[in-house]
Amino acid sequence: MSRATTVVLWSAGVLGAAAVTLVTTAQDRRADGSVNQQASLPQAKVELPPREFATAEEHYNFLLERAHGGTKHTMSTIPVWDGLWGSGNNTMPAIFLENGSLANALRPGGAVKEGVLTPAYEQHFRERRAEMEKYGQQRYDRLTNCEYAGVPRWIWEPYIKEFVNTPKQTWMMNDFMNETRRIYINGKHINTEATHFATGDSIGFWDNDKLIIWTKWVNPADYVRGMPLTSNKFEMVESWAERKDADGSRHLITQVTFYDPLGLVKPQSAVYTHDARPDLEEAGVRIRNWQCESSSNSYKDKDGNTQFYLPGDPEYKDPRGFTDFPDIPGQSLNPIFDGEESAQ
């Protein structure tokens, strides 16, 4: 699938399971790009924390002390994770579902594990999974309303990412929804706004070539569509490191532990993978700015379902768009100047 096709699909309001199957084509190694195929990709094993920790802060500080305050990299020594990266497999669904996998996270299948979530969050999760069994998918998702996916969903979103490491900050840029995480190296958590954020507030340090991150003050969201909710007490500790296979292919392995005293009975761990995609670079794929709020044609109907305005409907928005002055020549956002526009 071309990058242009991906943009048009989102403009129509990509939310259903079938849509996810289509969009992941640009990121997945396999030809059909289905979630089933993504779920069959190689996956690293979960590395549990060195011991149990009561909080993310305790976990992070333990790792920082063990790394003797962290490696002080310069621009000449810091790991370089250049190029485009696509989401691979992950083990998160197995935390919450019996025989859970990426293949059944977004669709029916798999029994809810008991005692992982607190009672209120487990009850909601059971209701969400029952809805999926009845309708074949979660009927409504926050993305319909152009809400950010947020953390920890950011780690899995099946769109391309770019990573820039500097001695003082790491920038993790997600094509989807313009979500850029900034990790402040050897920094402290700061919240002058006294609120929560879609991607939280992240600080980190380097342990040789491994980046350790602690994120907090995250908007309540969910682990991904079809999975449980997270609370406003959610925090997580991640480690990111590049791995190279014998054939030269590159992978970023993310070990993560989730802390959520309101949503989880105890902390839970998972592993995520991103794969380098030089083929997408060669094809000219680039990260562009999303314009969900001005071009999405999805909405929530009176029955709670995600619906879409289609071409011909008075509410339909041309995903290519116009400025506020459509009657003036040259105000279309369509880069293709066809005969009709040139004649204006």
Side-chain angles (χ1 to χ4, degrees):
M1 175 179 289
S2 69
R3 177 71 179 94
T5 305
T6 303
V7 172
V8 171
L9 280 173
W10 168 251
S11 298
V14 178
L15 291 170
V20 172
T21 296
L22 292 172
V23 174
T24 52
T25 304
Q27 288 72 38
D28 195 22
R29 288 180 181 275
R30 308 302 181 91
D32 64 3
S34 69
V35 174
N36 281 332
Q37 293 289 356
Q38 192 178 4
S40 68
L41 293 173
Q43 179 59 60
K45 293 184 178 180
V46 177
E47 295 179 5
L48 296 176
R51 63 175 177 81
E52 292 186 358
F53 300 98
T55 65
E57 181 177 15
E58 182 185 352
H59 185 174
Y60 180 83
N61 287 336
F62 175 91
L63 297 179
L64 180 61
E65 182 178 354
R66 191 172 69 173
H68 307 291
T71 304
K72 304 303 187 288
H73 278 296
T74 66
M75 287 300 293
S76 62
T77 65
I78 201 161
V80 177
W81 301 337
D82 58 335
L84 299 178
W85 299 80
S87 297
N89 205 348
N90 73 72
T91 65
M92 178 273 295
I95 295 175
F96 304 109
L97 293 175
E98 301 290 351
N99 300 315
S101 71
L102 204 59
N104 62 11
L106 308 183
R107 58 189 63 164
V112 173
K113 286 186 177 180
E114 296 184 359
V116 175
L117 297 162
T118 56
Y121 279 75
E122 181 175 313
Q123 177 62 28
H124 182 275
F125 185 41
R126 289 185 181 280
E127 293 171 356
R128 172 170 283 188
R129 298 305 295 185
E131 176 185 274
M132 295 173 71
E133 291 291 340
K134 182 176 181 179
Y135 296 99
Q137 63 178 327
Q138 184 179 315
R139 292 193 298 165
Y140 178 77
D141 183 66
R142 67 185 70 250
L143 274 60
T144 298
N145 196 40
C146 292
E147 294 181 53
Y148 287 103
V151 179
R153 190 166 172 169
W154 182 98
I155 309 177
W156 175 76
E157 287 295 346
Y159 299 80
I160 57 173
K161 293 185 177 73
E162 290 179 323
F163 301 89
V164 176
N165 295 323
T166 74
K168 292 187 177 181
Q169 288 188 36
T170 283
W171 303 328
M172 297 181 164
M173 294 163 281
N174 188 9
D175 177 48
F176 177 66
M177 295 289 280
N178 303 322
E179 287 184 301
T180 298
R181 298 178 64 192
R182 288 176 173 83
I183 292 83
Y184 297 89
I185 305 302
N186 301 119
K188 295 183 178 180
H189 286 297
I190 297 175
N191 191 344
T192 58
E193 299 88 349
T195 186
H196 290 68
F197 312 94
T199 52
D201 185 79
S202 298
I203 61 174
F205 66 91
W206 287 94
D207 185 355
N208 294 318
D209 63 351
K210 182 182 297 183
L211 178 61
I212 310 298
I213 305 170
W214 170 22
T215 300
K216 63 186 296 185
W217 297 321
V218 177
N219 282 350
D222 48 36
Y223 289 86
V224 75
R225 185 175 67 255
M227 289 287 99
L229 298 176
T230 59
S231 81
N232 58 11
K233 294 292 186 181
F234 174 91
E235 300 182 18
M236 67 183 187
V237 174
E238 308 154 76
S239 72
W240 290 71
E242 183 177 354
R243 185 194 72 197
K244 292 185 179 179
D245 292 342
D247 63 1
S249 57
R250 304 162 63 203
H251 313 278
L252 284 174
I253 308 301
T254 307
Q255 300 286 347
V256 57
T257 299
F258 305 121
Y259 292 84
D260 190 346
L262 296 182
L264 296 172
V265 172
K266 65 178 182 179
Q268 298 291 331
S269 297
V271 60
Y272 294 73
T273 301
H274 286 84
D275 302 321
R277 295 301 304 269
D279 55 323
L280 296 183
E281 293 181 69
E282 294 173 4
V285 173
R286 295 180 176 178
I287 287 185
R288 307 293 191 185
N289 280 33
W290 292 71
Q291 292 181 272
C292 174
E293 70 283 354
S294 62
S295 61
S296 175
N297 283 292
S298 57
Y299 66 97
K300 185 177 183 179
D301 69 13
K302 60 182 179 62
D303 297 318
N305 298 303
T306 296
Q307 297 291 355
F308 307 94
Y309 296 119
L310 300 176
D313 191 297
E315 299 293 329
Y316 178 77
K317 304 172 186 176
D318 185 335
R320 294 170 299 185
F322 277 84
T323 71
D324 292 333
F325 312 99
D327 297 330
I328 299 177
Q331 291 296 299
S332 169
L333 302 183
N334 178 9
I336 301 174
F337 301 102
D338 54 30
E340 181 178 351
E341 174 152 311
S342 61
Q344 288 181 346

PDB file of all heavy atoms in Angstrom, residues 47-69:
ATOM      1  N   GLU A  47      11.500  -9.899  29.372  1.00  0.00           N
ATOM      2  CA  GLU A  47      12.490  -9.876  30.442  1.00  0.00           C
ATOM      3  C   GLU A  47      11.862  -9.188  31.655  1.00  0.00           C
ATOM      4  O   GLU A  47      11.604  -7.980  31.635  1.00  0.00           O
ATOM      5  CB  GLU A  47      13.745  -9.123  29.994  1.00  0.00           C
ATOM      6  CG  GLU A  47      14.485  -9.802  28.854  1.00  0.00           C
ATOM      7  CD  GLU A  47      15.708  -9.018  28.424  1.00  0.00           C
ATOM      8  OE1 GLU A  47      16.023  -7.989  29.084  1.00  0.00           O
ATOM      9  OE2 GLU A  47      16.347  -9.409  27.430  1.00  0.00           O
ATOM     10  N   LEU A  48      11.605  -9.944  32.687  1.00  0.00           N
ATOM     11  CA  LEU A  48      10.975  -9.386  33.873  1.00  0.00           C
ATOM     12  C   LEU A  48      11.951  -8.470  34.611  1.00  0.00           C
ATOM     13  O   LEU A  48      13.174  -8.599  34.472  1.00  0.00           O
ATOM     14  CB  LEU A  48      10.511 -10.511  34.791  1.00  0.00           C
ATOM     15  CG  LEU A  48       9.428 -11.434  34.218  1.00  0.00           C
ATOM     16  CD1 LEU A  48       9.134 -12.554  35.213  1.00  0.00           C
ATOM     17  CD2 LEU A  48       8.165 -10.663  33.892  1.00  0.00           C
ATOM     18  N   PRO A  49      11.456  -7.521  35.380  1.00  0.00           N
ATOM     19  CA  PRO A  49      12.336  -6.665  36.185  1.00  0.00           C
ATOM     20  C   PRO A  49      13.224  -7.517  37.085  1.00  0.00           C
ATOM     21  O   PRO A  49      12.878  -8.662  37.419  1.00  0.00           O
ATOM     22  CB  PRO A  49      11.354  -5.824  36.996  1.00  0.00           C
ATOM     23  CG  PRO A  49      10.090  -5.830  36.195  1.00  0.00           C
ATOM     24  CD  PRO A  49      10.030  -7.173  35.540  1.00  0.00           C
ATOM     25  N   PRO A  50      14.378  -7.001  37.513  1.00  0.00           N
ATOM     26  CA  PRO A  50      15.298  -7.781  38.346  1.00  0.00           C
ATOM     27  C   PRO A  50      14.685  -8.242  39.659  1.00  0.00           C
ATOM     28  O   PRO A  50      15.128  -9.220  40.259  1.00  0.00           O
ATOM     29  CB  PRO A  50      16.470  -6.814  38.573  1.00  0.00           C
ATOM     30  CG  PRO A  50      15.951  -5.456  38.234  1.00  0.00           C
ATOM     31  CD  PRO A  50      14.914  -5.662  37.183  1.00  0.00           C
ATOM     32  N   ARG A  51      13.686  -7.550  40.118  1.00  0.00           N
ATOM     33  CA  ARG A  51      12.893  -7.965  41.275  1.00  0.00           C
ATOM     34  C   ARG A  51      11.573  -7.224  41.209  1.00  0.00           C
ATOM     35  O   ARG A  51      11.361  -6.377  40.346  1.00  0.00           O
ATOM     36  CB  ARG A  51      13.627  -7.687  42.594  1.00  0.00           C
ATOM     37  CG  ARG A  51      13.901  -6.222  42.879  1.00  0.00           C
ATOM     38  CD  ARG A  51      14.521  -6.059  44.255  1.00  0.00           C
ATOM     39  NE  ARG A  51      14.878  -4.696  44.586  1.00  0.00           N
ATOM     40  CZ  ARG A  51      14.024  -3.776  45.033  1.00  0.00           C
ATOM     41  NH1 ARG A  51      12.733  -4.080  45.193  1.00  0.00           N
ATOM     42  NH2 ARG A  51      14.444  -2.551  45.332  1.00  0.00           N
ATOM     43  N   GLU A  52      10.653  -7.532  42.117  1.00  0.00           N
ATOM     44  CA  GLU A  52       9.377  -6.840  42.139  1.00  0.00           C
ATOM     45  C   GLU A  52       9.541  -5.457  42.754  1.00  0.00           C
ATOM     46  O   GLU A  52      10.244  -5.287  43.750  1.00  0.00           O
ATOM     47  CB  GLU A  52       8.337  -7.651  42.921  1.00  0.00           C
ATOM     48  CG  GLU A  52       7.938  -8.951  42.240  1.00  0.00           C
ATOM     49  CD  GLU A  52       6.802  -9.647  42.968  1.00  0.00           C
ATOM     50  OE1 GLU A  52       6.356  -9.126  44.019  1.00  0.00           O
ATOM     51  OE2 GLU A  52       6.351 -10.706  42.485  1.00  0.00           O
ATOM     52  N   PHE A  53       8.876  -4.488  42.136  1.00  0.00           N
ATOM     53  CA  PHE A  53       8.895  -3.117  42.640  1.00  0.00           C
ATOM     54  C   PHE A  53       7.461  -2.660  42.878  1.00  0.00           C
ATOM     55  O   PHE A  53       6.553  -3.000  42.117  1.00  0.00           O
ATOM     56  CB  PHE A  53       9.580  -2.184  41.645  1.00  0.00           C
ATOM     57  CG  PHE A  53      11.013  -2.544  41.350  1.00  0.00           C
ATOM     58  CD1 PHE A  53      11.341  -3.270  40.212  1.00  0.00           C
ATOM     59  CD2 PHE A  53      12.025  -2.161  42.221  1.00  0.00           C
ATOM     60  CE1 PHE A  53      12.654  -3.609  39.948  1.00  0.00           C
ATOM     61  CE2 PHE A  53      13.344  -2.491  41.966  1.00  0.00           C
ATOM     62  CZ  PHE A  53      13.665  -3.222  40.818  1.00  0.00           C
ATOM     63  N   ALA A  54       7.270  -1.867  43.907  1.00  0.00           N
ATOM     64  CA  ALA A  54       5.932  -1.380  44.222  1.00  0.00           C
ATOM     65  C   ALA A  54       5.491  -0.279  43.276  1.00  0.00           C
ATOM     66  O   ALA A  54       4.304  -0.136  42.989  1.00  0.00           O
ATOM     67  CB  ALA A  54       5.878  -0.885  45.668  1.00  0.00           C
ATOM     68  N   THR A  55       6.461   0.523  42.799  1.00  0.00           N
ATOM     69  CA  THR A  55       6.125   1.665  41.943  1.00  0.00           C
ATOM     70  C   THR A  55       7.114   1.767  40.788  1.00  0.00           C
ATOM     71  O   THR A  55       8.228   1.214  40.833  1.00  0.00           O
ATOM     72  CB  THR A  55       6.181   2.983  42.743  1.00  0.00           C
ATOM     73  OG1 THR A  55       7.535   3.220  43.159  1.00  0.00           O
ATOM     74  CG2 THR A  55       5.257   2.932  43.948  1.00  0.00           C
ATOM     75  N   ALA A  56       6.717   2.514  39.770  1.00  0.00           N
ATOM     76  CA  ALA A  56       7.607   2.786  38.645  1.00  0.00           C
ATOM     77  C   ALA A  56       8.822   3.589  39.110  1.00  0.00           C
ATOM     78  O   ALA A  56       9.945   3.379  38.623  1.00  0.00           O
ATOM     79  CB  ALA A  56       6.850   3.540  37.556  1.00  0.00           C
ATOM     80  N   GLU A  57       8.613   4.500  40.037  1.00  0.00           N
ATOM     81  CA  GLU A  57       9.718   5.311  40.551  1.00  0.00           C
ATOM     82  C   GLU A  57      10.778   4.431  41.204  1.00  0.00           C
ATOM     83  O   GLU A  57      11.988   4.606  40.976  1.00  0.00           O
ATOM     84  CB  GLU A  57       9.194   6.342  41.543  1.00  0.00           C
ATOM     85  CG  GLU A  57      10.274   7.243  42.119  1.00  0.00           C
ATOM     86  CD  GLU A  57       9.715   8.305  43.053  1.00  0.00           C
ATOM     87  OE1 GLU A  57       8.542   8.168  43.469  1.00  0.00           O
ATOM     88  OE2 GLU A  57      10.444   9.273  43.352  1.00  0.00           O
ATOM     89  N   GLU A  58      10.335   3.488  42.006  1.00  0.00           N
ATOM     90  CA  GLU A  58      11.270   2.574  42.662  1.00  0.00           C
ATOM     91  C   GLU A  58      12.032   1.746  41.627  1.00  0.00           C
ATOM     92  O   GLU A  58      13.248   1.556  41.735  1.00  0.00           O
ATOM     93  CB  GLU A  58      10.501   1.667  43.619  1.00  0.00           C
ATOM     94  CG  GLU A  58      11.379   0.688  44.395  1.00  0.00           C
ATOM     95  CD  GLU A  58      10.564  -0.266  45.249  1.00  0.00           C
ATOM     96  OE1 GLU A  58       9.328  -0.067  45.359  1.00  0.00           O
ATOM     97  OE2 GLU A  58      11.154  -1.223  45.790  1.00  0.00           O
ATOM     98  N   HIS A  59      11.336   1.277  40.629  1.00  0.00           N
ATOM     99  CA  HIS A  59      11.931   0.482  39.552  1.00  0.00           C
ATOM    100  C   HIS A  59      12.991   1.299  38.801  1.00  0.00           C
ATOM    101  O   HIS A  59      14.131   0.866  38.613  1.00  0.00           O
ATOM    102  CB  HIS A  59      10.811   0.022  38.603  1.00  0.00           C
ATOM    103  CG  HIS A  59      11.254  -0.894  37.520  1.00  0.00           C
ATOM    104  ND1 HIS A  59      10.351  -1.486  36.655  1.00  0.00           N
ATOM    105  CD2 HIS A  59      12.481  -1.315  37.112  1.00  0.00           C
ATOM    106  CE1 HIS A  59      11.002  -2.238  35.797  1.00  0.00           C
ATOM    107  NE2 HIS A  59      12.305  -2.149  36.043  1.00  0.00           N
ATOM    108  N   TYR A  60      12.615   2.497  38.398  1.00  0.00           N
ATOM    109  CA  TYR A  60      13.512   3.361  37.634  1.00  0.00           C
ATOM    110  C   TYR A  60      14.754   3.726  38.444  1.00  0.00           C
ATOM    111  O   TYR A  60      15.895   3.649  37.948  1.00  0.00           O
ATOM    112  CB  TYR A  60      12.754   4.621  37.220  1.00  0.00           C
ATOM    113  CG  TYR A  60      13.560   5.624  36.417  1.00  0.00           C
ATOM    114  CD1 TYR A  60      13.726   5.475  35.047  1.00  0.00           C
ATOM    115  CD2 TYR A  60      14.135   6.739  37.039  1.00  0.00           C
ATOM    116  CE1 TYR A  60      14.453   6.407  34.305  1.00  0.00           C
ATOM    117  CE2 TYR A  60      14.857   7.672  36.308  1.00  0.00           C
ATOM    118  CZ  TYR A  60      15.017   7.499  34.940  1.00  0.00           C
ATOM    119  OH  TYR A  60      15.733   8.419  34.214  1.00  0.00           O
ATOM    120  N   ASN A  61      14.566   4.110  39.695  1.00  0.00           N
ATOM    121  CA  ASN A  61      15.698   4.510  40.520  1.00  0.00           C
ATOM    122  C   ASN A  61      16.651   3.348  40.776  1.00  0.00           C
ATOM    123  O   ASN A  61      17.879   3.535  40.864  1.00  0.00           O
ATOM    124  CB  ASN A  61      15.213   5.103  41.838  1.00  0.00           C
ATOM    125  CG  ASN A  61      14.618   6.490  41.661  1.00  0.00           C
ATOM    126  OD1 ASN A  61      14.929   7.198  40.707  1.00  0.00           O
ATOM    127  ND2 ASN A  61      13.747   6.888  42.572  1.00  0.00           N
ATOM    128  N   PHE A  62      16.114   2.140  40.901  1.00  0.00           N
ATOM    129  CA  PHE A  62      16.962   0.957  41.059  1.00  0.00           C
ATOM    130  C   PHE A  62      17.854   0.771  39.837  1.00  0.00           C
ATOM    131  O   PHE A  62      19.065   0.541  39.970  1.00  0.00           O
ATOM    132  CB  PHE A  62      16.090  -0.282  41.276  1.00  0.00           C
ATOM    133  CG  PHE A  62      16.869  -1.575  41.338  1.00  0.00           C
ATOM    134  CD1 PHE A  62      17.334  -2.062  42.545  1.00  0.00           C
ATOM    135  CD2 PHE A  62      17.138  -2.312  40.176  1.00  0.00           C
ATOM    136  CE1 PHE A  62      18.053  -3.258  42.607  1.00  0.00           C
ATOM    137  CE2 PHE A  62      17.860  -3.494  40.227  1.00  0.00           C
ATOM    138  CZ  PHE A  62      18.321  -3.970  41.449  1.00  0.00           C
ATOM    139  N   LEU A  63      17.273   0.881  38.640  1.00  0.00           N
ATOM    140  CA  LEU A  63      18.048   0.719  37.411  1.00  0.00           C
ATOM    141  C   LEU A  63      19.072   1.840  37.258  1.00  0.00           C
ATOM    142  O   LEU A  63      20.196   1.613  36.791  1.00  0.00           O
ATOM    143  CB  LEU A  63      17.117   0.688  36.204  1.00  0.00           C
ATOM    144  CG  LEU A  63      16.108  -0.468  36.146  1.00  0.00           C
ATOM    145  CD1 LEU A  63      15.235  -0.337  34.898  1.00  0.00           C
ATOM    146  CD2 LEU A  63      16.808  -1.815  36.183  1.00  0.00           C
ATOM    147  N   LEU A  64      18.686   3.059  37.646  1.00  0.00           N
ATOM    148  CA  LEU A  64      19.601   4.193  37.552  1.00  0.00           C
ATOM    149  C   LEU A  64      20.800   4.000  38.477  1.00  0.00           C
ATOM    150  O   LEU A  64      21.962   4.257  38.097  1.00  0.00           O
ATOM    151  CB  LEU A  64      18.858   5.484  37.895  1.00  0.00           C
ATOM    152  CG  LEU A  64      19.669   6.784  37.845  1.00  0.00           C
ATOM    153  CD1 LEU A  64      20.222   7.030  36.452  1.00  0.00           C
ATOM    154  CD2 LEU A  64      18.800   7.958  38.288  1.00  0.00           C
ATOM    155  N   GLU A  65      20.535   3.535  39.687  1.00  0.00           N
ATOM    156  CA  GLU A  65      21.626   3.303  40.638  1.00  0.00           C
ATOM    157  C   GLU A  65      22.525   2.169  40.154  1.00  0.00           C
ATOM    158  O   GLU A  65      23.761   2.257  40.260  1.00  0.00           O
ATOM    159  CB  GLU A  65      21.052   2.980  42.021  1.00  0.00           C
ATOM    160  CG  GLU A  65      22.104   2.765  43.085  1.00  0.00           C
ATOM    161  CD  GLU A  65      21.505   2.503  44.461  1.00  0.00           C
ATOM    162  OE1 GLU A  65      20.254   2.612  44.597  1.00  0.00           O
ATOM    163  OE2 GLU A  65      22.266   2.178  45.389  1.00  0.00           O
ATOM    164  N   ARG A  66      21.896   1.122  39.611  1.00  0.00           N
ATOM    165  CA  ARG A  66      22.689  -0.007  39.112  1.00  0.00           C
ATOM    166  C   ARG A  66      23.578   0.404  37.945  1.00  0.00           C
ATOM    167  O   ARG A  66      24.659  -0.160  37.743  1.00  0.00           O
ATOM    168  CB  ARG A  66      21.764  -1.157  38.695  1.00  0.00           C
ATOM    169  CG  ARG A  66      22.486  -2.459  38.421  1.00  0.00           C
ATOM    170  CD  ARG A  66      21.529  -3.601  38.216  1.00  0.00           C
ATOM    171  NE  ARG A  66      20.768  -3.478  36.981  1.00  0.00           N
ATOM    172  CZ  ARG A  66      19.944  -4.421  36.505  1.00  0.00           C
ATOM    173  NH1 ARG A  66      19.765  -5.541  37.199  1.00  0.00           N
ATOM    174  NH2 ARG A  66      19.289  -4.248  35.391  1.00  0.00           N
ATOM    175  N   ALA A  67      23.115   1.403  37.163  1.00  0.00           N
ATOM    176  CA  ALA A  67      23.907   1.900  36.034  1.00  0.00           C
ATOM    177  C   ALA A  67      24.847   3.020  36.452  1.00  0.00           C
ATOM    178  O   ALA A  67      25.438   3.689  35.595  1.00  0.00           O
ATOM    179  CB  ALA A  67      22.971   2.390  34.931  1.00  0.00           C
ATOM    180  N   HIS A  68      24.988   3.221  37.781  1.00  0.00           N
ATOM    181  CA  HIS A  68      25.898   4.242  38.317  1.00  0.00           C
ATOM    182  C   HIS A  68      25.602   5.635  37.754  1.00  0.00           C
ATOM    183  O   HIS A  68      26.517   6.383  37.395  1.00  0.00           O
ATOM    184  CB  HIS A  68      27.349   3.856  38.045  1.00  0.00           C
ATOM    185  CG  HIS A  68      27.721   2.478  38.522  1.00  0.00           C
ATOM    186  ND1 HIS A  68      27.806   2.147  39.857  1.00  0.00           N
ATOM    187  CD2 HIS A  68      27.985   1.333  37.828  1.00  0.00           C
ATOM    188  CE1 HIS A  68      28.120   0.865  39.976  1.00  0.00           C
ATOM    189  NE2 HIS A  68      28.232   0.349  38.767  1.00  0.00           N
ATOM    190  N   GLY A  69      24.320   5.948  37.674  1.00  0.00           N
ATOM    191  CA  GLY A  69      23.910   7.268  37.195  1.00  0.00           C
ATOM    192  C   GLY A  69      23.753   7.367  35.696  1.00  0.00           C
ATOM    193  O   GLY A  69      23.358   8.425  35.183  1.00  0.00           O
TER     194      GLY A  69
END
